[in-house]
């Protein structure tokens, strides 16, 4: 069931940052993009930049003309789009239909399967700028792919033709898979933004320059060594420092109104301590001391809260 270059006529529904880039990648692999849907001016400009010469068509026309339909729309819009096209009898026998949602597997494409089509879930585990530089970044990316066993080679082949690595995700695990990615990438952005805000508030002119080397090293170490790479006052059981951090961040919240920062610090420090204790990186006594230090009236270094 290997896919040969140029075999497929591909229609792209959604010329957002993801759809336009993946369409360009598939086109670069030898497939023909027969049409793209674009509503906003930004989408139209993106389609013109990344898919020059490809006609902008209505959704129904794209489905009618395509051997592979790539649905690159927001998660919440996907079920309605698929069922709406199903109600119009738009899906065709033998037609490949792939979506790029991380949350959904192939179940959301039930109307496609009912019409005799082949449902595929292809989620790129990367962030997109919507520019041509994303095409080069695909070579370092992985896709979470889900399909019925007989159709899985098709999904894997499409991903590899785009230069990326397919990782098989079971249908039942799609939401957890997507939650893991969102929890890491999205919350990392929030944490970095909070740290930069604190540094800016104390007069550091280039917070990103200060944070960059530290965060890059921390990420590389975490990816290489997992939690064994954990450093810092929580991992050391340095209760006095943890208590000082918590107090300073509470005061910062009163001064700036940025209570989200202290909330995040307290929550992540508590979770970090718990995970470190489970891995025997922290003793039971040090764990209790850190948890006490995080409380407003905790006595750092004395063990239990209020001791």
């Amino acid at each position: 069931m290997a896919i040969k270059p140029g075999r497929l006529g591909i229609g792209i529904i959604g010329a957002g940052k993801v759809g336009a880039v993946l369409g360009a990648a598939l086109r670069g692999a030898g497939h023909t993009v027969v049409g793209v849907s674009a509503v906003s001016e930004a989408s139209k400009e993106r389609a013109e930049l990344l898919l020059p010469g490809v006609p902008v068509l209505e959704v129904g026309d794209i489905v009618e003309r395509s051997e592979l339909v790539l649905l690159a729309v927001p998660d919440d819009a996907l079920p309605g789009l698929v069922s709406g096209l199903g109600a119009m009898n738009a899906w065709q026998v033998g037609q490949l239909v792939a979506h790029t949602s991380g949350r959904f597997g192939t179940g959301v494409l039930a109307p496609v399967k009912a019409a005799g089509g082949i449902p595929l879930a292809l989620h790129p585990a990367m962030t997109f700028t919507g520019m041509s530089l994303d095409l080069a970044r695909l070579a370092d990316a992985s896709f979470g792919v889900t399909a019925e066993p007989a159709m899985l080679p098709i999904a894997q082949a499409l991903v590899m033709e785009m230069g990326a690595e397919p990782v098989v995700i079971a249908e039942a695990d799609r939401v957890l898979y997507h939650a893991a990615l969102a929890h890491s990438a999205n919350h990392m952005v929030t944490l970095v933004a909070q740290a930069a805000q604190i540094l800016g508030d104390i007069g550091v002119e280039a917070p990103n320059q200060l944070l960059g080397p530290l965060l890059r090293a921390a990420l590389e170490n975490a990816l290489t060594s997992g939690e064994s790479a954990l450093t810092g006052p929580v991992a050391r059981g340095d209760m006095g420092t943890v208590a000082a951090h918590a107090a300073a961040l509470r005061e910062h919240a009163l001064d700036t109104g940025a209570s989200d920062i202290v909330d995040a610090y307290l929550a992540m420090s508590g979770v970090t301590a718990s995970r470190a204790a489970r891995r025997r990186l922290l003793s039971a006594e040090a764990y209790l001391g850190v948890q006490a230090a995080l409380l407003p009236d905790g006595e750092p270094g004395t063990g239990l809260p209020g001791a």
Side-chain angles (χ1 to χ4, degrees):
M1 300 184 75
I3 296 174
K4 297 178 181 179
R7 173 189 164 196
L8 296 174
I10 299 175
I12 311 294
I13 296 180
K17 295 178 180 179
V18 176
V21 170
L22 297 189
L26 289 166
R27 192 185 200 187
H31 299 291
T32 301
V33 179
V34 299
V36 60
S37 69
V39 177
S40 69
E41 287 303 316
S43 294
K44 292 176 181 176
E45 291 176 5
R46 194 176 295 114
E48 184 177 350
L49 175 66
L50 290 171
L51 298 167
V54 174
V56 175
L57 303 173
E58 296 295 325
V59 169
D61 293 333
I62 291 174
V63 175
E64 182 180 357
R65 299 181 184 193
S66 302
E67 296 166 285
L68 166 63
V69 179
L70 184 65
L71 304 174
V73 299
D75 288 2
D76 288 350
L78 183 60
L81 174 64
V82 174
S83 60
L85 288 167
M88 297 167 55
N89 296 316
W91 303 120
Q92 303 169 43
V93 175
Q95 187 174 51
L96 296 167
V97 181
H99 71 71
T100 61
S101 167
R103 168 186 166 190
F104 293 106
T106 57
V108 72
L109 299 176
V112 172
K113 184 177 179 181
I118 300 171
L120 310 171
L122 311 176
H123 174 253
M126 61 177 276
T127 57
F128 286 78
T129 65
M131 296 185 288
S132 58
L133 62 88
D134 291 337
L135 294 170
R137 294 175 61 226
L138 283 170
D140 294 322
S142 295
F143 279 55
V145 301
T146 303
E148 294 182 357
M151 306 304 168
L152 194 55
I154 297 177
Q156 293 169 314
L158 286 168
V159 170
M160 288 187 288
E161 285 191 342
M162 287 186 279
E165 182 72 19
V167 177
V168 178
I169 306 295
E171 179 79 18
D173 294 334
R174 289 291 293 201
V175 175
L176 274 177
Y177 153 79
H178 193 229
L181 300 186
H183 182 45
S184 59
N186 301 160
H187 296 166
M188 181 176 66
V189 172
T190 300
L191 289 171
V192 172
Q194 289 178 333
Q197 180 180 340
I198 295 170
L199 293 173
D201 288 342
I202 64 172
V204 176
E205 294 184 358
N208 292 347
Q209 183 176 342
L210 179 62
L211 290 169
L214 173 68
L215 296 176
R216 291 186 190 98
L219 178 58
E220 287 301 321
N221 290 341
L223 292 174
T224 301
S225 303
E227 285 177 305
S228 298
L230 185 62
T231 63
V234 171
R236 292 192 300 266
D238 192 346
M239 293 160 269
T241 299
V242 173
H245 286 177
L249 289 171
R250 288 187 179 98
E251 184 175 350
H252 176 265
L254 290 175
D255 292 340
T256 65
S259 60
D260 62 294
I261 298 178
V262 67
D263 289 345
Y265 178 87
L266 295 175
M268 289 303 299
S269 294
V271 171
T272 299
S274 296
R275 293 182 68 91
R278 286 200 298 271
R279 290 179 57 84
R280 303 288 195 269
L281 300 175
L282 267 184
S283 68
E285 181 181 4
Y287 166 72
L288 291 173
V290 169
Q291 295 293 1
L294 294 170
L295 298 174
D297 56 351
E299 294 292 334
T302 61
L304 293 172

